[in-house]
Amino acid sequence: MRFFRAPLIAKMLFPSGIWKGKETDSIYLTFDDGPNPDVTPWVLDLLKQFDIKATFFLVGRNVQEYPELLDRIISEGHQIGNHTMNHECGTKTSLHSYISSVSKVDTHIKSDLFRPPYGKVTSNQFKKLIESGRKIVFWSWLSYDFDKNISPQKIIQKASEIKGGDILVFHDSKKAFPNLKNSLAEIIEQLIGRGFEFKTL
Ligand SMILES: [Zn+2]
């Protein structure tokens, strides 16, 4: 079962998380898990072509490895956020290790936005992150671009259900690239055609 829409139960667990963008005539594009040398430049080129800004939730170890891609994301006017140092799953990581992983990313990027990998975070981790002044960003529409059992056509078809204010999740990762490169441009065109603007968080 694929939940393109974030399930209500998750929203109820973390009501102070960010699940929707503020403006209902806008769409909030986000890309997780980069930067990646094979995928991020392609995404940046496409966004530039459409003159659109997006938010990138970066994995610290990837930033460490490809600092020039971080520079390009920032210099092209995109927003960045923290996605842990090693893409840790909150529910499988101790409170201490999780918080220390998130804090380590602060040495590489400056952002108060945080998105938990897999959307999984314990209530204690969530509380600690909020207390340290972070904004926890979830999403309202997940593309499933990483799923090898879904076709780009299916993703494009599901994208017709996107509504104003939605926070969309894509991935600038190798795994997601086959679906991403065959669906993202068409989805953006579709949304522009419906009169939406694109904003950062
Ligand atoms: Zn992720």
Side-chain angles (χ1 to χ4, degrees):
M1 189 70 190
R2 296 185 185 99
F3 296 100
F4 286 82
R5 288 264 152 225
L8 186 62
I9 177 86
K11 287 186 229 177
M12 284 163 71
L13 278 174
F14 301 111
S16 53
I18 298 171
W19 295 90
K20 273 263 182 183
K22 286 194 188 104
E23 293 173 49
T24 53
D25 58 351
S26 298
I27 299 292
Y28 300 81
L29 266 181
T30 68
F31 294 90
D32 288 5
D33 300 357
N36 177 295
D38 299 320
V39 188
T40 310
W42 180 88
V43 171
L44 290 169
D45 288 348
L46 190 77
L47 295 176
K48 197 189 274 178
Q49 201 181 306
F50 284 105
D51 194 20
I52 282 173
K53 305 297 178 212
T55 305
F56 289 80
F57 286 94
L58 306 165
V59 171
R61 64 156 186 246
N62 294 342
V63 173
Q64 214 167 14
E65 203 167 344
Y66 309 108
E68 68 287 353
L69 288 175
L70 170 69
D71 293 344
R72 185 172 165 201
I73 291 169
I74 294 170
S75 74
E76 295 186 4
H78 301 289
Q79 176 75 269
I80 53 168
N82 185 329
H83 198 47
T84 73
M85 199 61 201
N86 298 294
H87 208 261
E88 285 92 339
C89 178
T91 52
K92 291 180 188 158
T93 311
S94 74
L95 176 64
H96 176 79
S97 315
Y98 198 73
I99 300 304
S100 123
S101 166
V102 176
S103 306
K104 232 186 240 172
V105 179
D106 292 339
T107 61
H108 301 285
I109 69 166
K110 288 241 168 312
S111 176
D112 58 359
L113 301 179
F114 173 74
R115 173 174 281 158
Y118 315 101
K120 287 189 175 166
V121 60
T122 68
S123 51
N124 280 338
Q125 290 161 353
F126 186 87
K127 200 167 151 244
K128 263 257 187 294
L129 293 168
I130 291 277
E131 278 168 6
S132 65
R134 295 181 200 271
K135 296 177 187 142
I136 318 288
V137 183
F138 293 93
W139 57 82
S140 52
W141 191 85
L142 179 63
S143 65
Y144 285 96
D145 54 358
F146 54 82
D147 187 339
K148 285 189 168 43
N149 296 315
I150 192 171
S151 69
Q153 290 73 26
K154 178 79 181 171
I155 297 174
I156 293 166
Q157 185 204 323
K158 287 304 261 184
S160 63
E161 294 165 13
I162 291 169
K163 293 188 287 237
D166 271 343
I167 300 175
L168 318 185
V169 184
F170 292 91
H171 297 80
D172 47 338
S173 69
K174 218 167 176 166
K175 198 166 143 196
F177 200 31
N179 274 331
L180 189 70
K181 76 175 169 218
N182 292 307
S183 64
L184 185 59
E186 205 165 324
I187 291 170
I188 291 173
E189 274 168 6
Q190 197 185 95
L191 293 167
I192 291 173
R194 290 172 60 195
F196 291 119
E197 282 190 51
F198 289 82
K199 299 245 164 78
T200 56
L201 290 159

